Amino acid sequence: DQQVKQNSPSLSVQEGRISILNCDYTNSMFDYFLWYKKYPAEGPTFLISISSIKDKNEDGRFTVFLNKSAKHLSLHIVPSQPGDSAVYFCAAIVTGGGNKLTFGTGTQLKVEL
Amino acid sequence: EPEVTQTPSHQVTQMGQEVILRCVPISNHLYFYWYRQILGQKVEFLVSFYNNEISEKSEIFDDQFSVERPDGSNFTLKIRSTKLEDSAMYFCASKTSGRPWGQETQYFGPGTRLLVL
């Protein structure tokens, strides 16, 4: 039951360049989306979120874009820094109930010097 | 900055034993969650808890699992009779109220690594 998919298991970019992480979903009831960053042996750390009533949300170096018609969201990191190297998960919620997060499988980002 | 804490960080147990994983959510949060991540797999929802009762649970959360908020600060996950396949990282998360928009963010603890032998 893969309602949230991250088709790229890994991504490698050079320091200072843009990182683009992609996420697709199938459940049209999802109305809130989040990106989390995770280091090994740590819990997911919240990065940025977007409601389905918006198509873009920006916070510093991080921007999330939502294309509802394509059921696609992406996270842009500009400029990428070595400390950004981690696994990035997108997650989706159907708000109004228990609000459980449905996670994607994650993308391992490596930012090289 | 307030954060979710979890104890223990690691737990090793024998198959069939009971384990209790503990969490202290962020103090003004009202919704509490348990998730787990089996090695190499994605993070999976187990259960959500609000107003002293379970609001939603997954298929994974069978009769062997239970949750409790025994006092105003702790939130626990109990596995009554552990199985080998319960070996995973268990994450607790919490969030504030559901409204207005923008209050949906769940904040995660560092996790408890459970190993069932």
Side-chain angles (χ1 to χ4, degrees):
Chain A
D1 177 18
Q2 294 221 31
Q3 298 187 67
V4 180
K5 298 180 191 178
Q6 293 174 256
N7 291 319
S8 298
S10 63
L11 175 67
S12 185
V13 299
Q14 282 193 314
E15 182 181 12
R17 308 294 281 267
I18 184 171
S19 296
I20 300 176
L21 297 102
N22 294 302
C23 179
D24 297 294
Y25 62 96
T26 57
N27 186 348
S28 57
M29 298 296 290
F30 288 141
D31 57 354
Y32 201 83
F33 304 88
L34 307 91
W35 284 93
Y36 284 86
K37 172 182 178 180
K38 188 179 179 303
Y39 295 113
E42 292 185 13
T45 301
F46 169 72
L47 277 177
I48 193 169
S49 61
I50 188 167
S51 160
S52 61
I53 61 174
K54 296 185 176 181
D55 54 20
K56 177 182 174 182
N57 189 27
E58 195 171 351
D59 183 2
R61 296 187 298 115
F62 302 94
T63 303
V64 56
F65 295 92
L66 175 62
N67 182 333
K68 278 173 51 181
S69 60
K71 294 191 178 69
H72 177 83
L73 63 155
S74 61
L75 174 68
H76 293 210
I77 307 173
V78 182
S80 301
Q81 299 172 354
D84 296 329
S85 297
V87 178
Y88 288 77
F89 291 95
C90 69
I93 295 175
V94 177
T95 60
N99 294 344
K100 69 177 184 183
L101 288 168
T102 300
F103 280 88
T105 48
T107 296
Q108 172 78 58
L109 173 65
K110 184 176 180 183
V111 180
E112 297 170 323
L113 296 171
Chain B
E1 186 170 320
E3 57 183 21
V4 178
T5 59
Q6 290 185 242
T7 53
S9 58
H10 294 79
Q11 174 95 46
V12 181
T13 189
Q14 295 290 324
M15 188 170 57
Q17 294 296 303
E18 174 183 287
V19 295
I20 297 176
L21 310 183
R22 291 183 168 81
C23 168
V24 179
I26 294 172
S27 63
N28 64 340
H29 284 189
L30 301 176
Y31 292 78
F32 313 109
Y33 305 83
W34 284 101
Y35 293 82
R36 78 173 186 189
Q37 185 182 28
I38 295 172
L39 189 63
Q41 299 186 22
K42 63 180 179 179
V43 178
E44 302 175 285
F45 168 77
L46 291 177
V47 66
S48 58
F49 192 85
Y50 170 71
N51 200 25
N52 279 322
E53 60 182 25
I54 290 173
S55 49
E56 187 174 0
K57 59 184 181 179
S58 71
E59 292 175 354
I60 303 167
F61 195 88
D62 61 21
D63 292 344
Q64 294 301 313
F65 291 87
S66 62
V67 289
E68 195 177 35
R69 189 155 160 83
D71 53 40
S73 60
N74 290 285
F75 180 51
T76 62
L77 174 69
K78 182 193 289 186
I79 310 175
R80 288 191 188 81
S81 178
T82 50
K83 308 187 197 79
L84 296 176
E85 54 265 37
D86 293 329
S87 295
M89 279 287 283
Y90 287 80
F91 297 107
C92 173
S94 69
K95 80 175 184 80
T96 184
S97 60
R99 291 291 182 265
W101 285 109
Q103 301 300 322
E104 304 300 337
T105 302
Q106 293 177 28
Y107 295 90
F108 283 76
T112 294
R113 181 171 295 282
L114 176 65
L115 178 61
V116 183
L117 301 176

